[in-house]
Coordinates of all heavy atoms in Angstrom, one line a residue:
K1 N 7.4 19.9 -24.2 CA 7.9 21.2 -24.2 C 8.9 21.4 -23.1 O 8.9 20.8 -22.0 CB 6.8 22.2 -24.1 CG 5.8 22.1 -25.2 CD 4.6 23.1 -25.0 CE 3.6 23.0 -26.1 NZ 2.4 23.9 -25.9
F2 N 9.8 22.4 -23.3 CA 10.9 22.6 -22.3 C 11.2 24.1 -22.2 O 11.3 24.8 -23.3 CB 12.2 21.8 -22.7 CG 13.3 21.9 -21.7 CD1 13.1 21.2 -20.5 CD2 14.4 22.6 -21.9 CE1 14.2 21.2 -19.5 CE2 15.4 22.6 -21.0 CZ 15.3 22.0 -19.8
W3 N 11.3 24.6 -21.0 CA 11.5 26.1 -20.8 C 12.9 26.4 -20.2 O 13.2 27.5 -20.0 CB 10.4 26.6 -19.9 CG 9.1 26.8 -20.5 CD1 8.6 28.0 -21.0 CD2 8.1 25.9 -20.8 NE1 7.3 27.8 -21.6 CE2 7.0 26.5 -21.4 CE3 8.0 24.5 -20.5 CZ2 5.8 25.9 -21.8 CZ3 6.8 23.8 -20.8 CH2 5.7 24.5 -21.5
G4 N 13.6 25.4 -19.7 CA 14.8 25.6 -19.0 C 14.6 25.4 -17.5 O 13.6 24.9 -17.1
M5 N 15.7 25.8 -16.7 CA 15.7 25.6 -15.3 C 15.4 27.0 -14.6 O 15.9 28.0 -15.0 CB 17.0 25.1 -14.8 CG 17.0 23.5 -14.9 SD 17.2 22.9 -16.6 CE 18.9 23.3 -16.9
G6 N 14.6 26.9 -13.5 CA 14.3 28.0 -12.7 C 12.9 28.6 -12.9 O 12.3 28.4 -14.0
Y7 N 12.4 29.3 -11.9 CA 11.1 29.9 -11.9 C 11.0 30.9 -13.1 O 10.1 30.9 -13.8 CB 10.7 30.5 -10.6 CG 9.4 31.2 -10.6 CD1 8.2 30.6 -10.3 CD2 9.4 32.6 -11.0 CE1 7.0 31.3 -10.4 CE2 8.2 33.3 -11.0 CZ 7.0 32.6 -10.7 OH 5.8 33.3 -10.8
D8 N 12.0 31.8 -13.1 CA 11.9 32.9 -14.1 C 11.9 32.3 -15.6 O 11.3 32.9 -16.4 CB 13.1 33.8 -13.9 CG 13.0 34.6 -12.6 OD1 11.9 34.8 -12.2 OD2 14.0 34.9 -12.0
M9 N 12.7 31.2 -15.8 CA 12.7 30.7 -17.2 C 11.3 30.1 -17.5 O 10.8 30.3 -18.6 CB 13.8 29.6 -17.2 CG 15.2 30.1 -17.0 SD 15.7 31.2 -18.4 CE 15.9 30.0 -19.7
G10 N 10.7 29.4 -16.6 CA 9.4 28.8 -16.8 C 8.3 29.8 -16.9 O 7.3 29.6 -17.6
D11 N 8.5 31.0 -16.3 CA 7.5 32.0 -16.3 C 7.5 32.8 -17.6 O 6.6 33.6 -17.8 CB 7.6 32.9 -15.1 CG 6.3 33.6 -14.7 OD1 5.3 32.9 -14.6 OD2 6.4 34.8 -14.4
D12 N 8.6 32.7 -18.4 CA 8.7 33.5 -19.6 C 8.3 32.6 -20.8 O 9.0 31.6 -21.1 CB 10.2 33.9 -19.8 CG 10.4 34.8 -20.9 OD1 9.5 35.0 -21.7 OD2 11.5 35.4 -21.1
S13 N 7.2 32.9 -21.4 CA 6.6 32.1 -22.5 C 7.5 32.0 -23.7 O 7.5 31.1 -24.5 CB 5.3 32.6 -22.9 OG 4.3 32.5 -21.8
S14 N 8.4 33.0 -23.8 CA 9.3 33.0 -25.0 C 10.4 31.9 -24.9 O 11.0 31.6 -25.9 CB 10.0 34.4 -25.1 OG 10.8 34.7 -24.0
N15 N 10.5 31.3 -23.8 CA 11.5 30.2 -23.6 C 11.0 28.9 -24.0 O 11.7 27.9 -24.0 CB 12.0 30.2 -22.1 CG 12.8 31.3 -21.7 OD1 13.6 31.9 -22.5 ND2 12.7 31.8 -20.5
E16 N 9.7 28.8 -24.4 CA 9.1 27.6 -24.7 C 9.8 27.0 -26.0 O 10.0 27.6 -27.0 CB 7.6 27.8 -25.0 CG 6.9 26.5 -25.4 CD 5.4 26.7 -25.7 OE1 4.8 27.5 -25.0 OE2 4.9 26.1 -26.7
S17 N 10.2 25.7 -25.8 CA 10.9 25.0 -26.9 C 10.4 23.5 -26.9 O 9.7 23.1 -26.0 CB 12.4 25.0 -26.8 OG 12.8 24.4 -25.6
K18 N 10.7 22.8 -27.9 CA 10.3 21.4 -28.0 C 11.4 20.4 -27.9 O 12.6 20.7 -28.3 CB 9.5 21.2 -29.4 CG 8.3 22.0 -29.5 CD 7.6 21.8 -30.9 CE 6.3 22.6 -31.0 NZ 5.7 22.3 -32.4
M19 N 11.1 19.3 -27.4 CA 12.1 18.2 -27.3 C 11.3 16.9 -27.3 O 10.1 16.9 -26.9 CB 13.0 18.3 -26.1 CG 12.3 18.1 -24.8 SD 13.4 18.4 -23.3 CE 14.5 17.1 -23.6
K20 N 11.9 15.8 -27.5 CA 11.4 14.5 -27.4 C 12.1 13.8 -26.2 O 13.3 13.6 -26.2 CB 11.5 13.6 -28.6 CG 10.8 12.3 -28.6 CD 10.8 11.6 -29.9 CE 10.0 10.3 -29.9 NZ 10.0 9.6 -31.2
R21 N 11.3 13.4 -25.2 CA 11.8 12.8 -24.0 C 11.4 11.4 -23.9 O 10.2 11.0 -24.0 CB 11.3 13.6 -22.8 CG 11.7 13.0 -21.4 CD 11.3 14.0 -20.3 NE 11.6 13.4 -19.0 CZ 11.7 14.1 -17.9 NH1 11.7 15.4 -18.0 NH2 11.9 13.5 -16.7
W22 N 12.4 10.5 -23.6 CA 12.1 9.1 -23.3 C 12.6 8.8 -21.9 O 13.8 9.1 -21.6 CB 12.8 8.2 -24.3 CG 12.4 6.7 -24.2 CD1 11.4 6.1 -24.9 CD2 12.9 5.7 -23.4 NE1 11.3 4.8 -24.5 CE2 12.2 4.5 -23.6 CE3 13.9 5.7 -22.4 CZ2 12.5 3.4 -22.9 CZ3 14.2 4.6 -21.7 CH2 13.5 3.4 -22.0
Q23 N 11.8 8.2 -21.1 CA 12.2 7.9 -19.7 C 11.7 6.6 -19.2 O 10.6 6.2 -19.5 CB 11.7 9.0 -18.8 CG 12.1 8.8 -17.3 CD 11.8 10.0 -16.4 OE1 11.5 11.1 -16.9 NE2 12.0 9.9 -15.1
A24 N 12.6 5.9 -18.5 CA 12.2 4.7 -17.8 C 12.5 4.9 -16.3 O 13.6 5.4 -15.9 CB 13.0 3.5 -18.3
Q25 N 11.6 4.6 -15.4 CA 11.8 4.8 -14.0 C 11.3 3.6 -13.2 O 10.3 3.0 -13.5 CB 11.0 6.1 -13.5 CG 11.3 6.4 -12.1 CD 10.4 7.6 -11.6 OE1 9.2 7.5 -11.5 NE2 11.1 8.7 -11.3
M26 N 12.1 3.3 -12.1 CA 11.7 2.3 -11.2 C 12.0 2.8 -9.8 O 13.0 3.3 -9.5 CB 12.5 1.0 -11.5 CG 12.1 -0.2 -10.6 SD 12.9 -0.2 -8.9 CE 14.6 -0.5 -9.4
E27 N 11.0 2.5 -8.9 CA 11.2 2.9 -7.5 C 10.5 1.9 -6.6 O 9.4 1.5 -6.9 CB 10.7 4.3 -7.2 CG 10.9 4.7 -5.7 CD 10.5 6.1 -5.5 OE1 11.2 7.0 -6.1 OE2 9.6 6.4 -4.7
G28 N 11.2 1.4 -5.6 CA 10.6 0.4 -4.8 C 11.1 0.5 -3.3 O 12.2 1.0 -3.1
S29 N 10.3 0.1 -2.4 CA 10.7 0.1 -1.0 C 10.1 -1.1 -0.3 O 9.1 -1.7 -0.7 CB 10.2 1.4 -0.3 OG 8.8 1.4 -0.3
F30 N 10.9 -1.6 0.7 CA 10.4 -2.8 1.5 C 10.5 -2.3 3.0 O 11.6 -2.1 3.5 CB 11.3 -4.0 1.3 CG 10.7 -5.2 1.9 CD1 9.8 -6.0 1.3 CD2 11.1 -5.6 3.2 CE1 9.3 -7.2 1.9 CE2 10.6 -6.7 3.8 CZ 9.7 -7.5 3.1
L31 N 9.3 -2.2 3.6 CA 9.3 -1.6 5.0 C 8.9 -2.6 6.0 O 8.1 -3.5 5.8 CB 8.2 -0.5 4.9 CG 8.4 0.6 3.8 CD1 7.3 1.6 4.0 CD2 9.8 1.2 3.9
F32 N 9.5 -2.4 7.2 CA 9.2 -3.3 8.4 C 8.4 -2.5 9.4 O 8.7 -1.3 9.7 CB 10.6 -3.7 9.0 CG 11.5 -4.4 8.1 CD1 12.3 -3.8 7.2 CD2 11.5 -5.8 8.2 CE1 13.2 -4.5 6.4 CE2 12.4 -6.5 7.3 CZ 13.2 -5.9 6.4
R33 N 7.4 -3.1 9.9 CA 6.5 -2.4 10.9 C 7.2 -2.5 12.3 O 7.5 -3.6 12.8 CB 5.2 -3.1 11.0 CG 4.2 -2.3 11.8 CD 2.8 -3.0 11.9 NE 2.9 -4.3 12.6 CZ 1.9 -5.1 12.8 NH1 0.7 -4.8 12.2 NH2 2.1 -6.2 13.4
L34 N 7.5 -1.4 12.9 CA 8.1 -1.3 14.2 C 7.0 -1.1 15.3 O 7.3 -1.5 16.4 CB 9.1 -0.1 14.2 CG 10.3 -0.2 13.2 CD1 11.2 0.9 13.4 CD2 11.0 -1.5 13.3

């Protein structure tokens, strides 16, 4: 479901709509101890 951007848009139930979302995500870090 998708309501749009912003607090007011999400707080208004009449903005509820449907969509199909596909997402791929990658995140990595390599840290050195100081």
Side-chain angles (χ1 to χ4, degrees):
K1 299 177 182 179
F2 186 70
W3 284 261
M5 273 74 73
Y7 175 90
D8 292 330
M9 296 295 289
D11 206 44
D12 187 351
S13 298
S14 65
N15 291 325
E16 180 181 321
S17 63
K18 295 181 180 180
M19 67 182 299
K20 187 173 183 179
R21 173 172 175 159
W22 190 94
Q23 179 169 354
Q25 183 183 71
M26 183 277 293
E27 183 175 297
S29 62
F30 189 87
L31 307 180
F32 301 83
R33 189 181 68 184
L34 302 183

